[in-house]
mmCIF file of all heavy atoms in Angstrom:
data_model
loop_
_atom_site.group_PDB
_atom_site.id
_atom_site.type_symbol
_atom_site.label_atom_id
_atom_site.label_comp_id
_atom_site.label_asym_id
_atom_site.label_seq_id
_atom_site.Cartn_x
_atom_site.Cartn_y
_atom_site.Cartn_z
ATOM 1 N N ALA A 416 -42.644 82.934 2.597
ATOM 2 C CA ALA A 416 -41.244 83.359 2.676
ATOM 3 C C ALA A 416 -40.339 82.410 1.887
ATOM 4 O O ALA A 416 -39.388 82.864 1.230
ATOM 5 C CB ALA A 416 -40.805 83.412 4.141
ATOM 6 N N CYS A 417 -40.633 81.118 1.931
ATOM 7 C CA CYS A 417 -39.850 80.146 1.154
ATOM 8 C C CYS A 417 -39.960 80.426 -0.343
ATOM 9 O O CYS A 417 -38.969 80.347 -1.074
ATOM 10 C CB CYS A 417 -40.333 78.724 1.454
ATOM 11 S SG CYS A 417 -39.799 78.070 3.046
ATOM 12 N N ILE A 418 -41.160 80.752 -0.800
ATOM 13 C CA ILE A 418 -41.353 81.027 -2.226
ATOM 14 C C ILE A 418 -40.586 82.283 -2.631
ATOM 15 O O ILE A 418 -39.955 82.336 -3.689
ATOM 16 C CB ILE A 418 -42.848 81.160 -2.562
ATOM 17 C CG1 ILE A 418 -43.591 79.868 -2.212
ATOM 18 C CG2 ILE A 418 -43.039 81.480 -4.042
ATOM 19 C CD1 ILE A 418 -45.085 79.927 -2.441
ATOM 20 N N TRP A 419 -40.635 83.334 -1.788
ATOM 21 C CA TRP A 419 -39.872 84.544 -2.088
ATOM 22 C C TRP A 419 -38.376 84.229 -2.176
ATOM 23 O O TRP A 419 -37.674 84.740 -3.047
ATOM 24 C CB TRP A 419 -40.103 85.600 -0.996
ATOM 25 C CG TRP A 419 -41.367 86.371 -1.147
ATOM 26 C CD1 TRP A 419 -42.477 86.274 -0.360
ATOM 27 C CD2 TRP A 419 -41.680 87.357 -2.136
ATOM 28 N NE1 TRP A 419 -43.455 87.129 -0.795
ATOM 29 C CE2 TRP A 419 -42.996 87.820 -1.885
ATOM 30 C CE3 TRP A 419 -40.975 87.896 -3.211
ATOM 31 C CZ2 TRP A 419 -43.616 88.781 -2.660
ATOM 32 C CZ3 TRP A 419 -41.596 88.869 -3.986
ATOM 33 C CH2 TRP A 419 -42.889 89.299 -3.717
ATOM 34 N N ASN A 420 -37.883 83.396 -1.259
ATOM 35 C CA ASN A 420 -36.461 83.036 -1.272
ATOM 36 C C ASN A 420 -36.114 82.236 -2.519
ATOM 37 O O ASN A 420 -35.035 82.426 -3.116
ATOM 38 C CB ASN A 420 -36.138 82.223 -0.013
ATOM 39 C CG ASN A 420 -34.654 81.921 0.088
ATOM 40 O OD1 ASN A 420 -33.813 82.808 0.179
ATOM 41 N ND2 ASN A 420 -34.319 80.639 0.048
ATOM 42 N N ILE A 421 -37.009 81.349 -2.934
ATOM 43 C CA ILE A 421 -36.788 80.567 -4.158
ATOM 44 C C ILE A 421 -36.734 81.494 -5.364
ATOM 45 O O ILE A 421 -35.900 81.316 -6.271
ATOM 46 C CB ILE A 421 -37.900 79.506 -4.304
ATOM 47 C CG1 ILE A 421 -37.712 78.410 -3.250
ATOM 48 C CG2 ILE A 421 -37.898 78.900 -5.713
ATOM 49 C CD1 ILE A 421 -38.907 77.490 -3.104
ATOM 50 N N ALA A 422 -37.610 82.492 -5.403
ATOM 51 C CA ALA A 422 -37.594 83.469 -6.500
ATOM 52 C C ALA A 422 -36.263 84.218 -6.539
ATOM 53 O O ALA A 422 -35.696 84.466 -7.609
ATOM 54 C CB ALA A 422 -38.753 84.451 -6.345
ATOM 55 N N TRP A 423 -35.762 84.596 -5.367
ATOM 56 C CA TRP A 423 -34.488 85.310 -5.282
ATOM 57 C C TRP A 423 -33.331 84.435 -5.758
ATOM 58 O O TRP A 423 -32.438 84.882 -6.486
ATOM 59 C CB TRP A 423 -34.274 85.774 -3.845
ATOM 60 C CG TRP A 423 -32.917 86.358 -3.558
ATOM 61 C CD1 TRP A 423 -31.987 85.869 -2.694
ATOM 62 C CD2 TRP A 423 -32.349 87.539 -4.130
ATOM 63 N NE1 TRP A 423 -30.873 86.669 -2.683
ATOM 64 C CE2 TRP A 423 -31.064 87.701 -3.568
ATOM 65 C CE3 TRP A 423 -32.800 88.461 -5.065
ATOM 66 C CZ2 TRP A 423 -30.223 88.755 -3.904
ATOM 67 C CZ3 TRP A 423 -31.958 89.519 -5.418
ATOM 68 C CH2 TRP A 423 -30.695 89.653 -4.837
ATOM 69 N N GLU A 424 -33.328 83.164 -5.346
ATOM 70 C CA GLU A 424 -32.272 82.244 -5.773
ATOM 71 C C GLU A 424 -32.309 82.030 -7.286
ATOM 72 O O GLU A 424 -31.257 81.954 -7.937
ATOM 73 C CB GLU A 424 -32.414 80.901 -5.048
ATOM 74 C CG GLU A 424 -32.131 80.954 -3.556
ATOM 75 C CD GLU A 424 -30.690 81.325 -3.248
ATOM 76 O OE1 GLU A 424 -29.805 80.973 -4.048
ATOM 77 O OE2 GLU A 424 -30.452 81.981 -2.216
ATOM 78 N N ALA A 425 -33.513 81.932 -7.860
ATOM 79 C CA ALA A 425 -33.640 81.763 -9.307
ATOM 80 C C ALA A 425 -33.083 82.980 -10.034
ATOM 81 O O ALA A 425 -32.408 82.848 -11.074
ATOM 82 C CB ALA A 425 -35.102 81.533 -9.682
ATOM 83 N N GLN A 426 -33.339 84.163 -9.509
ATOM 84 C CA GLN A 426 -32.815 85.384 -10.123
ATOM 85 C C GLN A 426 -31.289 85.397 -10.081
ATOM 86 O O GLN A 426 -30.633 85.782 -11.059
ATOM 87 C CB GLN A 426 -33.371 86.607 -9.406
ATOM 88 C CG GLN A 426 -32.911 87.927 -10.027
ATOM 89 C CD GLN A 426 -33.461 89.137 -9.300
ATOM 90 O OE1 GLN A 426 -34.137 89.001 -8.302
ATOM 91 N NE2 GLN A 426 -33.163 90.314 -9.803
ATOM 92 N N LYS A 427 -30.708 84.968 -8.971
ATOM 93 C CA LYS A 427 -29.251 84.952 -8.849
ATOM 94 C C LYS A 427 -28.609 84.002 -9.853
ATOM 95 O O LYS A 427 -27.468 84.219 -10.263
ATOM 96 C CB LYS A 427 -28.845 84.570 -7.425
ATOM 97 C CG LYS A 427 -29.141 85.647 -6.394
ATOM 98 C CD LYS A 427 -28.376 85.421 -5.104
ATOM 99 C CE LYS A 427 -28.827 84.177 -4.388
ATOM 100 N NZ LYS A 427 -28.168 84.038 -3.061
ATOM 101 N N GLN A 428 -29.334 82.966 -10.260
ATOM 102 C CA GLN A 428 -28.806 82.024 -11.236
ATOM 103 C C GLN A 428 -29.169 82.416 -12.671
ATOM 104 O O GLN A 428 -28.890 81.668 -13.608
ATOM 105 C CB GLN A 428 -29.335 80.608 -10.946
ATOM 106 C CG GLN A 428 -28.934 80.064 -9.589
ATOM 107 C CD GLN A 428 -27.439 80.048 -9.363
ATOM 108 O OE1 GLN A 428 -26.666 79.796 -10.298
ATOM 109 N NE2 GLN A 428 -27.015 80.301 -8.126
ATOM 110 N N GLY A 429 -29.794 83.576 -12.845
ATOM 111 C CA GLY A 429 -30.123 84.064 -14.178
ATOM 112 C C GLY A 429 -31.409 83.530 -14.767
ATOM 113 O O GLY A 429 -31.680 83.744 -15.949
ATOM 114 N N LEU A 430 -32.230 82.851 -13.951
ATOM 115 C CA LEU A 430 -33.498 82.284 -14.437
ATOM 116 C C LEU A 430 -34.611 83.312 -14.194
ATOM 117 O O LEU A 430 -35.440 83.170 -13.287
ATOM 118 C CB LEU A 430 -33.800 80.971 -13.717
ATOM 119 C CG LEU A 430 -32.720 79.895 -13.804
ATOM 120 C CD1 LEU A 430 -33.127 78.652 -13.017
ATOM 121 C CD2 LEU A 430 -32.448 79.515 -15.263
ATOM 122 N N MET A 431 -34.638 84.341 -15.027
ATOM 123 C CA MET A 431 -35.525 85.469 -14.762
ATOM 124 C C MET A 431 -37.000 85.101 -14.909
ATOM 125 O O MET A 431 -37.840 85.540 -14.122
ATOM 126 C CB MET A 431 -35.179 86.633 -15.690
ATOM 127 C CG MET A 431 -33.786 87.210 -15.453
ATOM 128 S SD MET A 431 -33.496 87.629 -13.701
ATOM 129 C CE MET A 431 -34.771 88.848 -13.414
ATOM 130 N N TYR A 432 -37.334 84.306 -15.920
ATOM 131 C CA TYR A 432 -38.735 83.924 -16.107
ATOM 132 C C TYR A 432 -39.234 83.136 -14.894
ATOM 133 O O TYR A 432 -40.308 83.433 -14.339
ATOM 134 C CB TYR A 432 -38.901 83.087 -17.369
ATOM 135 C CG TYR A 432 -40.319 82.648 -17.629
ATOM 136 C CD1 TYR A 432 -41.273 83.531 -18.108
ATOM 137 C CD2 TYR A 432 -40.715 81.333 -17.377
ATOM 138 C CE1 TYR A 432 -42.579 83.131 -18.337
ATOM 139 C CE2 TYR A 432 -42.022 80.925 -17.602
ATOM 140 C CZ TYR A 432 -42.947 81.824 -18.084
ATOM 141 O OH TYR A 432 -44.245 81.413 -18.300
ATOM 142 N N ALA A 433 -38.451 82.163 -14.463
ATOM 143 C CA ALA A 433 -38.816 81.365 -13.294
ATOM 144 C C ALA A 433 -38.919 82.244 -12.056
ATOM 145 O O ALA A 433 -39.814 82.066 -11.220
ATOM 146 C CB ALA A 433 -37.796 80.250 -13.077
ATOM 147 N N SER A 434 -38.012 83.207 -11.933
ATOM 148 C CA SER A 434 -38.028 84.097 -10.783
ATOM 149 C C SER A 434 -39.290 84.954 -10.761
ATOM 150 O O SER A 434 -39.925 85.110 -9.712
ATOM 151 C CB SER A 434 -36.788 85.003 -10.814
ATOM 152 O OG SER A 434 -36.818 85.940 -9.755
ATOM 153 N N TYR A 435 -39.669 85.497 -11.918
ATOM 154 C CA TYR A 435 -40.886 86.321 -11.975
ATOM 155 C C TYR A 435 -42.127 85.501 -11.672
ATOM 156 O O TYR A 435 -43.051 85.971 -10.987
ATOM 157 C CB TYR A 435 -41.016 86.966 -13.354
ATOM 158 C CG TYR A 435 -40.045 88.091 -13.607
ATOM 159 C CD1 TYR A 435 -39.385 88.199 -14.834
ATOM 160 C CD2 TYR A 435 -39.786 89.056 -12.643
ATOM 161 C CE1 TYR A 435 -38.485 89.237 -15.090
ATOM 162 C CE2 TYR A 435 -38.897 90.092 -12.883
ATOM 163 C CZ TYR A 435 -38.246 90.176 -14.105
ATOM 164 O OH TYR A 435 -37.370 91.195 -14.341
ATOM 165 N N VAL A 436 -42.186 84.273 -12.189
ATOM 166 C CA VAL A 436 -43.340 83.412 -11.925
ATOM 167 C C VAL A 436 -43.453 83.125 -10.432
ATOM 168 O O VAL A 436 -44.537 83.249 -9.837
ATOM 169 C CB VAL A 436 -43.236 82.097 -12.718
ATOM 170 C CG1 VAL A 436 -44.284 81.098 -12.227
ATOM 171 C CG2 VAL A 436 -43.435 82.356 -14.207
ATOM 172 N N ALA A 437 -42.342 82.750 -9.803
ATOM 173 C CA ALA A 437 -42.362 82.462 -8.362
ATOM 174 C C ALA A 437 -42.749 83.706 -7.567
ATOM 175 O O ALA A 437 -43.510 83.621 -6.593
ATOM 176 C CB ALA A 437 -40.996 81.944 -7.919
ATOM 177 N N THR A 438 -42.241 84.861 -7.985
ATOM 178 C CA THR A 438 -42.597 86.114 -7.316
ATOM 179 C C THR A 438 -44.100 86.368 -7.414
ATOM 180 O O THR A 438 -44.748 86.728 -6.421
ATOM 181 C CB THR A 438 -41.838 87.289 -7.949
ATOM 182 O OG1 THR A 438 -40.438 87.109 -7.766
ATOM 183 C CG2 THR A 438 -42.261 88.612 -7.326
ATOM 184 N N GLY A 439 -44.658 86.194 -8.600
ATOM 185 C CA GLY A 439 -46.090 86.413 -8.791
ATOM 186 C C GLY A 439 -46.943 85.456 -7.977
ATOM 187 O O GLY A 439 -47.956 85.857 -7.384
ATOM 188 N N LEU A 440 -46.538 84.186 -7.922
ATOM 189 C CA LEU A 440 -47.301 83.205 -7.153
ATOM 190 C C LEU A 440 -47.213 83.499 -5.657
ATOM 191 O O LEU A 440 -48.202 83.350 -4.931
ATOM 192 C CB LEU A 440 -46.787 81.796 -7.457
ATOM 193 C CG LEU A 440 -46.962 81.327 -8.909
ATOM 194 C CD1 LEU A 440 -46.425 79.910 -9.074
ATOM 195 C CD2 LEU A 440 -48.420 81.397 -9.349
ATOM 196 N N ALA A 441 -46.032 83.925 -5.195
ATOM 197 C CA ALA A 441 -45.887 84.313 -3.790
ATOM 198 C C ALA A 441 -46.798 85.498 -3.470
ATOM 199 O O ALA A 441 -47.426 85.550 -2.401
ATOM 200 C CB ALA A 441 -44.434 84.661 -3.483
ATOM 201 N N ALA A 442 -46.873 86.444 -4.406
ATOM 202 C CA ALA A 442 -47.734 87.613 -4.206
ATOM 203 C C ALA A 442 -49.206 87.212 -4.165
ATOM 204 O O ALA A 442 -49.974 87.717 -3.335
ATOM 205 C CB ALA A 442 -47.494 88.638 -5.312
#
């Protein structure tokens, strides 16, 4: 859940690549 939240926060700051990577690792 922490990783998913980190991915969401990265997306809100416009860091799409970082957000996708975190999403994939959480998955």
Side-chain angles (χ1 to χ4, degrees):
C417 284
I418 300 177
W419 279 109
N420 185 62
I421 289 167
W423 172 243
E424 292 296 328
Q426 182 180 3
K427 289 197 294 186
Q428 299 304 324
L430 304 179
M431 295 308 299
Y432 180 75
S434 176
Y435 287 137
V436 169
T438 297
L440 296 181

